Every structure is written in C-alpha cells, then in structure tokens.
Amino acid sequence: MTSSSGVLVLAATPIGDPRDAAPRLAQELASADVVAAEDTRRLRRLCSDLAVAPSGTVLSYHEHNEASRTAELVERLTAGARVVVVTDAGMPSVSDPGYRLVDAAVAAGVRVTCVPGPSAVLMALAVSGLPVDRFCFEGFLPRKGGERARVLESLADERRTLVFFEAPHRIEASLRAMAAAWGAQRRAAVCRELTKTYEEVRRGSLGELADWAAEGVRGEITVVVAGAELRVRSLEDAVADVLHRVGAGERLKHVCADVAAESGLSKKALYDAVVAARTVSRATTAGP
C-alpha cells in the first residue's frame, strides 16, 4: 500500500427502513471526497432521510458505466481521495456494482474498508425458520429457462441452506424450476419487502410457494431454500463409486473422504471396504 493512497469505503445502505442506517454512514457521506452512487436520485433521498449533505463530488456508478468509471475512481484513490461507494440497498459489490472497483483498488495498493449495515441475505436466513449454521448465497438465477435449470441441477446435492435474490415477475417460474429440480416438498421461505411496511415471510414447500406466487408477488424478494438431505447409500454402492473414480485417476483417500461425506458412511469403514474389494479383484484377476 502506498503512503499517498486514499481509502475506498464500501458503505452499506438500508434495505428498506432508513432508521437501520449505521451512524457511520452519515459521517462517511458527509466527509467523503467522492461519493459514487448506483442511483444519485436515491442517494439524495437517503441523504434527506439522514439529514446529511455530501461535501465532496457525487457521481453515478452503476452496471452500465462501472467499467469506464472504475479507472477514474482508482486514479482519485491513488491521489489520496476517500471514495465512498453506495448502492440502492445493502452492501456494494454483493449482487451490486462495486466488485470491479474493489479488485482494481486492491491491485493498486489502495486500502479497502466497509461501513457495515443491513443485509437482506442474513435477515432472510434469520427469519426463514431453516437451518442457518451453514449456508451459501447464489445471487440471481439466470433468466433463461435452460441456463436456470442447469444451475439448479448443479446445486441438487448442496446440503447447505441456499439463498437467492429474485425479481417479482420471475419468482413463480424460479420456484417451479426449483421444485422440478429438487422436489416439490423441499422446504423454503420467500421473504419480501424486508424491513418495509409490507414485510412478509411465506414459509412452506417449494410446490406450495410456487402456487402462492402464481397470484402475483410484489417488492424486493429473497428466497431461502433448505439444503439437500443426506442421501443414505449402501456400502456396496459407495465402494463401486469409489472404485470407478479411482480408476479414472482420482486419489483413493480423497475419493473416500468425499463419498463418505456425501453418503454418511464412516470414512474408515469405506476405505477398508475399498481396499478389501481391490484385493479380491487383484486375486481374481491373477487366477490360480
């Protein structure tokens, strides 16, 4: 990091209720040399809610000008400016503009920090009623049906709780695609308008939620889906799987650990069974 570098501040903004803003947010907006906002009109509204007026330059920074404006912002940062990035709601760079700038700032040796704040992902997890000890965030699903189906298929065996963002006009199609890929009985929750006046959390199976969504859903939506249940497999099937993968070139110990985790079998018992099966196979091949 160079001594003359400025600081890049990713500032989380409220996802609905302006009272959720961190006290530091107003301070950063007021004192920044540059405020880069996804929507400058929304920024003005937020500043009005927070009773603050930016003293520095305010410019737009969104998906359509992110590539071209990043170089300008990095130039200001390396010259010593304090640049604050805000998006319409939540943390910049998380399914919003910001990642490109962070990557460029890090490469330039600029310090990057955050102002913490509300998170639709964490709030939806907390109120979903689903396991929260392990989870993964998948952002928005692809718009096209074929691409969406392929992504969902790749997540079919994911045991962690899954979190998605979705648009109101696509929520029914996405829920039906999830039901087709993972089963209509998989538990889920649709959380909409979090922290806002019409906040609603619908819990049920994917099939039930898809039928509910057919009536029309409005607002900002976060979907939480239970992870896949552990598939219990017989030791014989697991051994056959390990032998096939080892035959294709994978390492025995790594494959045994992977298959044991997926199947719920003891890693040692599986390893011993595979070794025994290989011994029998070699003896049979060798003949009398």
Side-chain angles (χ1 to χ4, degrees), residues 136-160:
C136 57
F137 173 59
E138 293 293 327
F140 286 93
L141 286 170
R143 291 181 173 87
K144 295 183 179 179
E147 294 178 12
R148 180 173 56 213
R150 283 191 289 274
V151 169
L152 294 175
E153 178 60 28
S154 72
L155 295 169
D157 295 323
E158 177 57 67
R159 293 172 58 194
R160 293 172 294 179

mmCIF file of all heavy atoms in Angstrom, residues 136-160:
data_model
loop_
_atom_site.group_PDB
_atom_site.id
_atom_site.type_symbol
_atom_site.label_atom_id
_atom_site.label_comp_id
_atom_site.label_asym_id
_atom_site.label_seq_id
_atom_site.Cartn_x
_atom_site.Cartn_y
_atom_site.Cartn_z
ATOM 1 N N CYS A 136 -25.120 -20.914 1.686
ATOM 2 C CA CYS A 136 -24.411 -20.330 0.546
ATOM 3 C C CYS A 136 -25.351 -19.378 -0.182
ATOM 4 O O CYS A 136 -26.553 -19.634 -0.278
ATOM 5 C CB CYS A 136 -23.862 -21.397 -0.398
ATOM 6 S SG CYS A 136 -25.078 -22.548 -1.054
ATOM 7 N N PHE A 137 -24.794 -18.286 -0.661
ATOM 8 C CA PHE A 137 -25.561 -17.263 -1.360
ATOM 9 C C PHE A 137 -25.327 -17.405 -2.859
ATOM 10 O O PHE A 137 -24.181 -17.385 -3.312
ATOM 11 C CB PHE A 137 -25.133 -15.877 -0.879
ATOM 12 C CG PHE A 137 -25.739 -14.747 -1.658
ATOM 13 C CD1 PHE A 137 -27.124 -14.598 -1.725
ATOM 14 C CD2 PHE A 137 -24.941 -13.827 -2.317
ATOM 15 C CE1 PHE A 137 -27.693 -13.555 -2.442
ATOM 16 C CE2 PHE A 137 -25.491 -12.780 -3.030
ATOM 17 C CZ PHE A 137 -26.876 -12.639 -3.089
ATOM 18 N N GLU A 138 -26.405 -17.554 -3.627
ATOM 19 C CA GLU A 138 -26.288 -17.787 -5.060
ATOM 20 C C GLU A 138 -26.726 -16.596 -5.915
ATOM 21 O O GLU A 138 -26.728 -16.683 -7.135
ATOM 22 C CB GLU A 138 -27.113 -19.027 -5.455
ATOM 23 C CG GLU A 138 -26.574 -20.332 -4.899
ATOM 24 C CD GLU A 138 -25.221 -20.708 -5.502
ATOM 25 O OE1 GLU A 138 -24.996 -20.398 -6.692
ATOM 26 O OE2 GLU A 138 -24.396 -21.301 -4.782
ATOM 27 N N GLY A 139 -27.113 -15.492 -5.281
ATOM 28 C CA GLY A 139 -27.491 -14.308 -6.055
ATOM 29 C C GLY A 139 -28.746 -14.547 -6.886
ATOM 30 O O GLY A 139 -29.665 -15.254 -6.478
ATOM 31 N N PHE A 140 -28.786 -13.957 -8.088
ATOM 32 C CA PHE A 140 -29.919 -14.125 -9.000
ATOM 33 C C PHE A 140 -29.698 -15.329 -9.906
ATOM 34 O O PHE A 140 -28.588 -15.532 -10.416
ATOM 35 C CB PHE A 140 -30.089 -12.880 -9.876
ATOM 36 C CG PHE A 140 -30.660 -11.691 -9.158
ATOM 37 C CD1 PHE A 140 -29.818 -10.753 -8.584
ATOM 38 C CD2 PHE A 140 -32.036 -11.510 -9.057
ATOM 39 C CE1 PHE A 140 -30.339 -9.653 -7.916
ATOM 40 C CE2 PHE A 140 -32.563 -10.412 -8.396
ATOM 41 C CZ PHE A 140 -31.719 -9.472 -7.823
ATOM 42 N N LEU A 141 -30.739 -16.110 -10.115
ATOM 43 C CA LEU A 141 -30.673 -17.212 -11.066
ATOM 44 C C LEU A 141 -30.697 -16.650 -12.493
ATOM 45 O O LEU A 141 -31.212 -15.558 -12.726
ATOM 46 C CB LEU A 141 -31.864 -18.149 -10.873
ATOM 47 C CG LEU A 141 -31.832 -19.051 -9.645
ATOM 48 C CD1 LEU A 141 -33.179 -19.728 -9.452
ATOM 49 C CD2 LEU A 141 -30.722 -20.097 -9.762
ATOM 50 N N PRO A 142 -30.175 -17.408 -13.477
ATOM 51 C CA PRO A 142 -30.242 -16.955 -14.871
ATOM 52 C C PRO A 142 -31.690 -16.746 -15.318
ATOM 53 O O PRO A 142 -32.597 -17.451 -14.866
ATOM 54 C CB PRO A 142 -29.589 -18.109 -15.648
ATOM 55 C CG PRO A 142 -28.702 -18.783 -14.650
ATOM 56 C CD PRO A 142 -29.426 -18.673 -13.346
ATOM 57 N N ARG A 143 -31.888 -15.788 -16.210
ATOM 58 C CA ARG A 143 -33.237 -15.505 -16.699
ATOM 59 C C ARG A 143 -33.765 -16.606 -17.623
ATOM 60 O O ARG A 143 -34.942 -16.938 -17.600
ATOM 61 C CB ARG A 143 -33.256 -14.165 -17.443
ATOM 62 C CG ARG A 143 -33.048 -12.946 -16.558
ATOM 63 C CD ARG A 143 -33.111 -11.674 -17.389
ATOM 64 N NE ARG A 143 -33.081 -10.480 -16.562
ATOM 65 C CZ ARG A 143 -31.989 -9.872 -16.146
ATOM 66 N NH1 ARG A 143 -30.806 -10.379 -16.480
ATOM 67 N NH2 ARG A 143 -32.041 -8.786 -15.398
ATOM 68 N N LYS A 144 -32.882 -17.165 -18.456
ATOM 69 C CA LYS A 144 -33.309 -18.171 -19.428
ATOM 70 C C LYS A 144 -33.534 -19.521 -18.744
ATOM 71 O O LYS A 144 -32.747 -19.954 -17.913
ATOM 72 C CB LYS A 144 -32.268 -18.299 -20.533
ATOM 73 C CG LYS A 144 -32.121 -17.033 -21.373
ATOM 74 C CD LYS A 144 -31.120 -17.227 -22.498
ATOM 75 C CE LYS A 144 -31.004 -15.957 -23.348
ATOM 76 N NZ LYS A 144 -30.012 -16.121 -24.449
ATOM 77 N N GLY A 145 -34.629 -20.175 -19.153
ATOM 78 C CA GLY A 145 -35.022 -21.420 -18.507
ATOM 79 C C GLY A 145 -33.974 -22.506 -18.541
ATOM 80 O O GLY A 145 -33.732 -23.188 -17.536
ATOM 81 N N GLY A 146 -33.315 -22.690 -19.700
ATOM 82 C CA GLY A 146 -32.317 -23.745 -19.817
ATOM 83 C C GLY A 146 -31.127 -23.509 -18.911
ATOM 84 O O GLY A 146 -30.655 -24.433 -18.239
ATOM 85 N N GLU A 147 -30.637 -22.277 -18.895
ATOM 86 C CA GLU A 147 -29.498 -21.947 -18.029
ATOM 87 C C GLU A 147 -29.876 -22.074 -16.567
ATOM 88 O O GLU A 147 -29.095 -22.559 -15.744
ATOM 89 C CB GLU A 147 -29.026 -20.524 -18.329
ATOM 90 C CG GLU A 147 -28.442 -20.343 -19.724
ATOM 91 C CD GLU A 147 -28.027 -18.907 -19.976
ATOM 92 O OE1 GLU A 147 -27.988 -18.120 -19.020
ATOM 93 O OE2 GLU A 147 -27.764 -18.574 -21.147
ATOM 94 N N ARG A 148 -31.090 -21.643 -16.231
ATOM 95 C CA ARG A 148 -31.551 -21.741 -14.842
ATOM 96 C C ARG A 148 -31.626 -23.199 -14.409
ATOM 97 O O ARG A 148 -31.196 -23.550 -13.301
ATOM 98 C CB ARG A 148 -32.919 -21.072 -14.718
ATOM 99 C CG ARG A 148 -33.509 -21.102 -13.311
ATOM 100 C CD ARG A 148 -34.769 -20.262 -13.265
ATOM 101 N NE ARG A 148 -35.727 -20.700 -14.251
ATOM 102 C CZ ARG A 148 -36.581 -19.881 -14.882
ATOM 103 N NH1 ARG A 148 -36.564 -18.592 -14.633
ATOM 104 N NH2 ARG A 148 -37.436 -20.355 -15.761
ATOM 105 N N ALA A 149 -32.149 -24.068 -15.291
ATOM 106 C CA ALA A 149 -32.267 -25.489 -14.966
ATOM 107 C C ALA A 149 -30.888 -26.110 -14.725
ATOM 108 O O ALA A 149 -30.717 -26.935 -13.821
ATOM 109 C CB ALA A 149 -32.997 -26.224 -16.085
ATOM 110 N N ARG A 150 -29.895 -25.708 -15.527
ATOM 111 C CA ARG A 150 -28.549 -26.263 -15.358
ATOM 112 C C ARG A 150 -27.932 -25.824 -14.025
ATOM 113 O O ARG A 150 -27.265 -26.621 -13.350
ATOM 114 C CB ARG A 150 -27.666 -25.838 -16.536
ATOM 115 C CG ARG A 150 -27.926 -26.618 -17.817
ATOM 116 C CD ARG A 150 -26.868 -26.357 -18.865
ATOM 117 N NE ARG A 150 -26.970 -25.009 -19.425
ATOM 118 C CZ ARG A 150 -27.763 -24.681 -20.434
ATOM 119 N NH1 ARG A 150 -28.530 -25.602 -21.003
ATOM 120 N NH2 ARG A 150 -27.786 -23.450 -20.899
ATOM 121 N N VAL A 151 -28.140 -24.576 -13.655
ATOM 122 C CA VAL A 151 -27.617 -24.096 -12.377
ATOM 123 C C VAL A 151 -28.271 -24.850 -11.224
ATOM 124 O O VAL A 151 -27.594 -25.284 -10.283
ATOM 125 C CB VAL A 151 -27.847 -22.577 -12.228
ATOM 126 C CG1 VAL A 151 -27.548 -22.128 -10.795
ATOM 127 C CG2 VAL A 151 -26.975 -21.801 -13.202
ATOM 128 N N LEU A 152 -29.578 -25.000 -11.280
ATOM 129 C CA LEU A 152 -30.290 -25.701 -10.212
ATOM 130 C C LEU A 152 -29.854 -27.163 -10.123
ATOM 131 O O LEU A 152 -29.726 -27.718 -9.033
ATOM 132 C CB LEU A 152 -31.799 -25.600 -10.430
ATOM 133 C CG LEU A 152 -32.391 -24.189 -10.309
ATOM 134 C CD1 LEU A 152 -33.871 -24.196 -10.662
ATOM 135 C CD2 LEU A 152 -32.178 -23.626 -8.908
ATOM 136 N N GLU A 153 -29.623 -27.783 -11.266
ATOM 137 C CA GLU A 153 -29.174 -29.176 -11.267
ATOM 138 C C GLU A 153 -27.807 -29.292 -10.600
ATOM 139 O O GLU A 153 -27.528 -30.253 -9.872
ATOM 140 C CB GLU A 153 -29.103 -29.706 -12.704
ATOM 141 C CG GLU A 153 -28.599 -31.146 -12.823
ATOM 142 C CD GLU A 153 -29.473 -32.145 -12.094
ATOM 143 O OE1 GLU A 153 -30.691 -31.892 -11.952
ATOM 144 O OE2 GLU A 153 -28.934 -33.182 -11.647
ATOM 145 N N SER A 154 -26.943 -28.303 -10.827
ATOM 146 C CA SER A 154 -25.611 -28.334 -10.216
ATOM 147 C C SER A 154 -25.674 -28.183 -8.703
ATOM 148 O O SER A 154 -24.718 -28.535 -7.997
ATOM 149 C CB SER A 154 -24.732 -27.228 -10.812
ATOM 150 O OG SER A 154 -25.134 -25.946 -10.359
ATOM 151 N N LEU A 155 -26.797 -27.664 -8.194
ATOM 152 C CA LEU A 155 -26.959 -27.464 -6.753
ATOM 153 C C LEU A 155 -27.822 -28.545 -6.100
ATOM 154 O O LEU A 155 -28.148 -28.447 -4.920
ATOM 155 C CB LEU A 155 -27.606 -26.094 -6.496
ATOM 156 C CG LEU A 155 -26.782 -24.867 -6.907
ATOM 157 C CD1 LEU A 155 -27.649 -23.613 -6.838
ATOM 158 C CD2 LEU A 155 -25.568 -24.713 -6.008
ATOM 159 N N ALA A 156 -28.174 -29.566 -6.866
ATOM 160 C CA ALA A 156 -29.109 -30.583 -6.378
ATOM 161 C C ALA A 156 -28.634 -31.280 -5.107
ATOM 162 O O ALA A 156 -29.446 -31.637 -4.250
ATOM 163 C CB ALA A 156 -29.378 -31.612 -7.480
ATOM 164 N N ASP A 157 -27.323 -31.464 -4.955
ATOM 165 C CA ASP A 157 -26.796 -32.177 -3.789
ATOM 166 C C ASP A 157 -26.215 -31.240 -2.739
ATOM 167 O O ASP A 157 -25.587 -31.702 -1.779
ATOM 168 C CB ASP A 157 -25.719 -33.176 -4.234
ATOM 169 C CG ASP A 157 -26.285 -34.284 -5.107
ATOM 170 O OD1 ASP A 157 -27.422 -34.711 -4.838
ATOM 171 O OD2 ASP A 157 -25.595 -34.717 -6.048
ATOM 172 N N GLU A 158 -26.419 -29.928 -2.904
ATOM 173 C CA GLU A 158 -25.898 -28.962 -1.942
ATOM 174 C C GLU A 158 -26.639 -29.083 -0.618
ATOM 175 O O GLU A 158 -27.852 -28.899 -0.557
ATOM 176 C CB GLU A 158 -26.055 -27.533 -2.490
ATOM 177 C CG GLU A 158 -25.616 -26.438 -1.537
ATOM 178 C CD GLU A 158 -24.180 -26.594 -1.088
ATOM 179 O OE1 GLU A 158 -23.271 -26.457 -1.923
ATOM 180 O OE2 GLU A 158 -23.984 -26.875 0.127
ATOM 181 N N ARG A 159 -25.913 -29.402 0.451
ATOM 182 C CA ARG A 159 -26.562 -29.633 1.746
ATOM 183 C C ARG A 159 -26.696 -28.375 2.589
ATOM 184 O O ARG A 159 -27.421 -28.359 3.582
ATOM 185 C CB ARG A 159 -25.796 -30.713 2.503
ATOM 186 C CG ARG A 159 -25.912 -32.097 1.833
ATOM 187 C CD ARG A 159 -25.003 -33.101 2.492
ATOM 188 N NE ARG A 159 -25.280 -33.241 3.906
ATOM 189 C CZ ARG A 159 -24.478 -33.851 4.767
ATOM 190 N NH1 ARG A 159 -23.321 -34.351 4.342
ATOM 191 N NH2 ARG A 159 -24.793 -33.937 6.032
ATOM 192 N N ARG A 160 -25.990 -27.311 2.210
ATOM 193 C CA ARG A 160 -26.141 -26.052 2.929
ATOM 194 C C ARG A 160 -27.446 -25.356 2.527
ATOM 195 O O ARG A 160 -27.957 -25.557 1.423
ATOM 196 C CB ARG A 160 -24.959 -25.133 2.635
ATOM 197 C CG ARG A 160 -23.636 -25.621 3.169
ATOM 198 C CD ARG A 160 -22.484 -24.767 2.676
ATOM 199 N NE ARG A 160 -22.302 -24.891 1.234
ATOM 200 C CZ ARG A 160 -21.375 -24.242 0.549
ATOM 201 N NH1 ARG A 160 -20.556 -23.404 1.158
ATOM 202 N NH2 ARG A 160 -21.254 -24.419 -0.755
#
